[in-house]
Amino acid sequence: MSRAPTPDGARVLLLHTGGTIGMKEGERGYVPAPGFLREQLERLPQLSDRSADRRGHDFVTPRFSHGRRAYYDLIEYDPLLDSANLDLRDWARFATDLATHEADYDAFVLLHGTDTMAFTASALSFALEGQTKPVILTGSQIPLAQLRNDGLDNVLGSLGIATEAPIPEVTLFFHHQLFRGNRATKHDASGLDAFTSPNIAPLAQIGVELDIRRDLVLPPDERPFRVRTELSRHVAALRLYPGMTHEILANFVRAPLEGLVLETYGAGNAPDLRRDLLDVLEAAIGRGLVVLNVTQCLRGTVSGAYAAGRALAEVGVIPGADLTPEAALTKLAHVLGRGLKREEATSMLMASLRGELTID
Ligand code: ASP
């Protein structure tokens, strides 16, 4: 679907993958319903100006404050999925679909369930190399079809930012805030303010004005555009807890595991008096397992401040700085999927590929 550029607006592709935003109320609660989101978009005047020339697109919004409109098309996935059902294959599919339409649109908005949105956003940030156009993930806690809902603000905000202030990163827009996708995490199961970005301020906020933190936006990614969909499925996350036995750890790190996100205490600490656990990790790392240390705390970073943290580094665990667990897992899948030598994989894991961690 090739579209001519529009001087008074942006061409946006809206990809509906599923999630609460497009759900319909059924006998057993909210269910995904094919075609239902399109009906809602047609019904809402803020999202569809039916008196305006759509220039061949499915929808056009009214004018945003700078006078520009979003001319947008809707693609609905079949089947629509609760994001709890998504996995690495879906991330690869979304990345490939974005690449297929890359040349025809100025920006992309992915409607997605909130439960695993931060994982998909992180995975896409690593998959889209040389990205020059905005990719914004959004969704809602209450379906767009309900009278009182947060979906309208979230979709309108995403289309508005894509049109008025395009930020060429994978971002996540929710409750008036635009987060870097690989820094975001869902921190509230029921509040409308469901996401946060604990280690970096939002890239933009919508209040009376649209306030953009240009100083935080990544410089253009100069690499040629390409999509990387080779992901290792053999990655896992393990939250450390007091009393973990070495048998449990040894079982967990067995083949075919290739990469482990170890969620440790505080500033990256593990019990340095538990030689049995450290021995299991050391042996697994010796066999080729890549272990990345991130903190269980919502905010903060892995540091070498404590002996209890250094013990992990001494057996070869890689410090993951202030990566979120979502970014850590998807980054491991991405880096290990590329089949690099251990040194190269380690330096990629410790580097900032797409602004996902803070280099001390
Ligand atoms: N379970 C839903 C999902 O993640 C929740 C939501 O959309 O907010 O798909």
Side-chain angles (χ1 to χ4, degrees):
M1 200 186 314
S2 179
R3 304 275 189 223
T6 50
D8 71 332
R11 299 161 301 167
V12 182
L13 182 60
L14 187 66
L15 295 151
H16 177 32
T17 69
T20 301
I21 190 160
M23 289 191 188
K24 191 175 188 172
E25 197 149 16
E27 278 169 17
R28 296 181 59 236
Y30 292 143
V31 284
F36 189 60
L37 184 91
R38 187 176 289 276
E39 281 173 32
Q40 302 312 310
L41 297 175
E42 269 158 12
R43 175 179 77 78
L44 292 164
Q46 299 93 326
L47 296 175
S48 172
D49 181 348
R50 296 167 73 174
S51 64
D53 178 2
R54 286 181 281 156
R55 310 239 169 96
H57 292 273
D58 293 349
F59 301 96
V60 59
T61 62
R63 293 186 191 282
F64 290 102
S65 52
H66 292 98
R68 287 164 62 79
R69 299 175 186 270
Y71 293 88
Y72 65 103
D73 295 315
L74 173 69
I75 292 182
E76 185 175 279
Y77 280 83
D78 178 20
L80 291 167
L81 289 167
D82 187 295
S83 76
N85 289 311
L86 301 180
D87 68 20
L88 294 82
R89 283 172 295 224
D90 301 288
W91 305 337
R93 186 158 58 110
F94 300 154
T96 307
D97 291 347
L98 289 166
T100 303
H101 297 283
E102 210 269 340
D104 295 329
Y105 292 91
D106 303 309
F108 301 86
V109 175
L110 213 76
L111 299 183
H112 194 290
T114 56
D115 289 346
T116 66
M117 195 187 294
F119 286 93
T120 303
S122 292
L124 290 177
S125 78
F126 301 124
L128 301 174
E129 218 170 81
Q131 178 190 357
T132 58
K133 297 180 177 177
V135 174
I136 305 175
L137 282 84
T138 195
S140 67
Q141 296 277 55
I142 309 173
L144 203 50
Q146 298 288 311
L147 176 61
R148 185 179 63 78
N149 74 78
D150 56 332
L152 175 58
D153 258 4
N154 290 344
V155 179
L156 194 59
S158 301
L159 291 172
I161 292 176
T163 304
E164 296 195 291
I167 291 173
E169 295 194 25
V170 176
T171 53
L172 189 158
F173 183 77
F174 220 86
H175 198 61
H176 319 301
Q177 294 183 300
L178 185 78
F179 304 106
R180 175 166 300 143
N182 56 31
R183 293 287 201 152
T185 191
K186 184 173 175 182
H187 73 145
D188 194 330
S190 54
L192 302 186
D193 185 7
F195 285 87
T196 186
S197 167
N199 290 315
I200 184 179
L203 302 183
Q205 307 218 37
I206 298 186
V208 174
E209 302 284 335
L210 170 59
D211 180 16
I212 302 171
R213 287 285 307 268
R214 291 274 171 212
D215 57 317
L216 295 179
V217 175
L218 292 176
D221 186 346
E222 306 284 0
R223 296 171 295 178
F225 180 74
R226 65 166 290 187
V227 184
R228 290 196 175 269
T229 54
E230 325 88 323
L231 296 170
S232 167
R233 294 189 68 75
H234 303 304
V235 292
L238 180 63
R239 187 177 168 96
L240 195 64
Y241 53 89
M244 180 186 286
T245 65
H246 68 262
E247 290 91 349
I248 287 179
L249 183 61
N251 270 319
F252 203 88
V253 299
R254 281 204 325 223
L257 195 68
E258 293 175 348
L260 175 70
V261 177
L262 190 61
E263 297 181 21
T264 58
Y265 309 132
N269 302 321
D272 60 335
L273 302 179
R274 291 287 307 279
R275 196 63 240 174
D276 57 336
L277 294 182
L278 293 169
D279 285 346
V280 170
L281 284 176
E282 191 165 27
I285 291 167
R287 289 196 302 272
L289 183 72
V290 176
V291 185
L292 189 55
N293 183 2
V294 301
T295 174
Q296 313 185 343
C297 296
L298 177 64
R299 180 169 293 114
T301 189
V302 167
S303 79
Y306 293 91
R310 290 195 193 167
L312 286 178
E314 279 160 16
V315 297
V317 173
I318 301 165
D322 56 356
L323 283 170
T324 61
E326 294 91 332
L329 189 89
T330 52
K331 189 175 183 181
L332 257 185
H334 168 79
V335 169
L336 296 180
R338 292 173 66 160
L340 306 169
K341 293 226 166 61
R342 180 189 278 268
E343 296 70 43
E344 213 181 330
T346 303
S347 62
M348 275 184 86
L349 287 167
M350 291 177 70
S352 167
L353 304 182
R354 294 299 290 149
E356 70 278 10
L357 56 75
T358 309
I359 302 284
D360 195 358

